[in-house]
Amino acid sequence: MSTSSRRQTYQVKIDHITVGSQSPVIVQSMTNTDTADAEATALQVQELSEAGSEMVRITVNNPDSAAKVAEIRQRLDDMGCNTPLIGDFHFNGERLLAEFPECGRALSKYRINPGNVGKGAKGDEKFAFMIRMAAENGKAVRIGVNWGSLDQSLAKRMMDANLASSSPQQPEAVMKEALIVSALESAQKAADLGLPEDKIILSCKVSAVQDLIQVYRELGGRCRYPLHLGLTEAGMGSKGIVASTAALSVLLQEGIGDTIRISLTPEPGTPRTQEVVVAQEILQTMGLRSFTPMVTACPGCGRTTSTVFQELARDIQHYLREQMIVWRLQYPGVENLNVAVMGCVVNGPGESKLADIGISLPGTGETPIAPVYVDGERKVTLKGDNLAAEFLAIVREYVETNYGENGRKRERSRIIPIQTA
Ligand code: SF4
């Protein structure tokens, strides 16, 4: 998507990252370690960064956590990881920022939820303190409104006004409007307190797909702040992935959204990095960004009872993703590589010719040979038990030849570099 078809926004600098319509949509994630455990948190931030998270949020929920934020930053710097850290504050953020000023300096962005700051004049004071700290430290702020913690005094004010109106709306419509008003009024307050407009990002997260789309369309039309997208409490496994993809794809297609996070509940045993992979795959399959070579694989059917092609598709996908930690620096442009792994001759050769490299495995009853196509031409025919290793060797050679020094497909990478030691 060209930058002109993105919703036009202010450009917000967060260390080496720019968030806004002139930049690619940024992938974010969040740790689930205890922030007070600096070592575990730094290691998880690094792991998320290596998976491709361009900013990582950590919760700063108590004095023990706030006391460790500067150490986490230092540990990351020592590991050569320059990923910006976002501090997630609720209820006591102003106290933590006052007691641990080094925490406020070590963070690159603060996330403030106006619904969890406090009520009335006291809440206003707490909000103002955090905004002033951000302005003094030169940090950006995400004003992150959430359906589950909407400012209740604002909701009541708007509900009362709706009841008194001559043409009252449905309560759900008023609540959605309250989310938007909460974000916009808080942003205005922050700007009035001296936070530059190009230091403000907004989000209005809800947990239902259609509500999220409606809220963001409306919010996007009423301001120029960059928007952070995410379906809150998306859920576990395929439900969380599908719901997030459904909601975010519609908005991204309309040019709405400048950073994204996929709020998956990790299934036991699933790595935290899964949310990063899903976010990247949404952007890549929509053609908005490229992160890692894509594998086109057929679903298989009765024409092939062999699991060889399923295993090969899986292995090649894992291999390519693992290599990207090094390849993104060594072979710029390799993220645009397309590999096809197909199960039989029906669609195999055709898809293989369309990919940069493709292999068509033998279906049931077919001659046990696997033609490999490179740049549309049949290059070699593999057979025997060592097929997977031989195919991976062809992929490696292709990458070195085409994306290495003087490679004809080498190009300036659009991936935002993550420093590694
Ligand atoms: S390529 Fe062959 S094995 Fe794969 S889905 Fe199509 S017909 Fe079935």
Side-chain angles (χ1 to χ4, degrees), residues 274-319:
Q274 191 196 16
E275 66 174 66
V276 179
V277 174
V278 173
Q280 288 188 333
E281 285 179 347
I282 291 174
L283 295 174
Q284 185 152 357
T285 51
M286 290 186 71
L288 300 178
R289 291 188 69 183
S290 294
F291 297 95
T292 198
M294 292 290 277
V295 177
T296 303
C298 79
C301 68
R303 294 183 70 89
T304 176
T305 51
S306 150
T307 56
V308 173
F309 92 96
Q310 293 171 353
E311 287 161 6
L312 184 61
R314 178 200 61 197
D315 292 350
I316 188 101
Q317 183 118 21
H318 286 178
Y319 173 79

Side-chain angles (χ1 to χ4, degrees), residues 297-304 309 341-348 361 363 366:
C298 79
C301 68
R303 294 183 70 89
T304 176
F309 92 96
V341 179
M342 302 294 289
C344 83
V345 291
V346 171
N347 295 323
L361 293 160
E366 292 175 14

